[in-house]
Amino acid sequence: MSKMHVKLTVNGKEVEGLAEPRTLLIHFLREDLKITGPHIGCETSHCGACTVDIDGKSVKSCTTFVAQVNGADITTVEGLTNDDGSLGVLQEMFREHHGLQCGFCTPGMITRAHRLLQENPNPTEEEIRFGMAGNLCRCTGYQNIVKAISASAEMLNAQKEAAE
């Protein structure tokens, strides 16, 4: 099969490569671009470990062809750090509130939580649980994940108010 030219913006940087149209985005990110934050879990879009943000929407990259997102703006967990490379608010709150255990689901959880807080900057616990329902964790029991997202919302809102 012939390869196609792919041009994307990933974590704020323009990238290009060649890929077969049937190449899954998760494989292009991990193997071609060496962006290994998104994980390969179920490969059926059920677990959410592969969640990335594409043009302002949470997407499971294990069932998305790279040809479908040619020209898109993609953010992975690596793109959620601060400019100096330190942990971003969500990443820090997941660490501080023990919102991770083995860490396998964490990149997808944080990336989905980022989009959730963009859509709803002040979610209730119920809204967090509903908004994160497409991302599975087998270790934490979710309580600390919800706490981390809630704390992130508070911190991000405080930062926004201070900047205004």
Side-chain angles (χ1 to χ4, degrees):
M1 180 171 272
S2 65
K3 293 188 175 189
M4 63 177 285
H5 181 254
V6 178
K7 186 174 182 180
L8 307 166
T9 301
V10 181
N11 300 326
K13 297 177 184 160
E14 288 191 13
V15 297
E16 295 183 55
L18 295 174
E20 292 182 6
R22 65 183 179 159
T23 301
L24 293 172
L25 178 58
I26 187 71
H27 295 297
F28 187 75
L29 290 171
R30 291 180 64 83
E31 297 163 17
D32 295 340
L33 301 181
K34 307 300 183 211
I35 296 173
T36 58
H39 291 158
I40 300 169
C42 65
E43 296 188 89
T44 60
S45 77
H46 288 101
C47 75
C50 67
T51 301
V52 298
D53 199 81
I54 301 175
D55 293 333
K57 294 182 181 175
S58 292
V59 176
K60 310 285 178 69
S61 62
C62 73
T63 54
T64 303
F65 294 114
V66 73
Q68 293 174 283
V69 296
N70 196 14
D73 185 6
I74 299 173
T75 302
T76 69
V77 71
E78 291 93 339
L80 299 177
T81 59
N82 293 320
D83 291 339
D84 65 1
S86 63
L87 296 178
V89 170
L90 272 161
Q91 296 160 325
E92 184 60 35
M93 291 300 101
F94 264 69
R95 187 196 63 77
E96 187 175 310
H97 291 275
H98 308 286
L100 61 129
Q101 197 163 350
C102 81
F104 191 80
C105 70
T106 306
M109 287 281 184
I110 290 174
T111 305
R112 173 60 196 135
H114 167 74
R115 179 52 42 204
L116 172 65
L117 294 179
Q118 296 294 308
E119 296 165 352
N120 182 355
N122 196 24
T124 64
E125 179 179 335
E126 183 179 340
E127 290 169 330
I128 292 170
R129 290 182 183 277
F130 182 80
M132 298 300 294
N135 291 71
L136 304 179
C137 176
R138 294 188 173 101
C139 300
T140 66
Y142 299 100
Q143 190 58 36
N144 290 340
I145 292 170
V146 173
K147 285 180 186 177
I149 296 169
S150 182
S152 296
E154 288 177 28
M155 183 174 279
L156 290 166
N157 288 330
Q159 288 176 351
K160 185 177 179 184
E161 287 177 21
E164 293 176 347

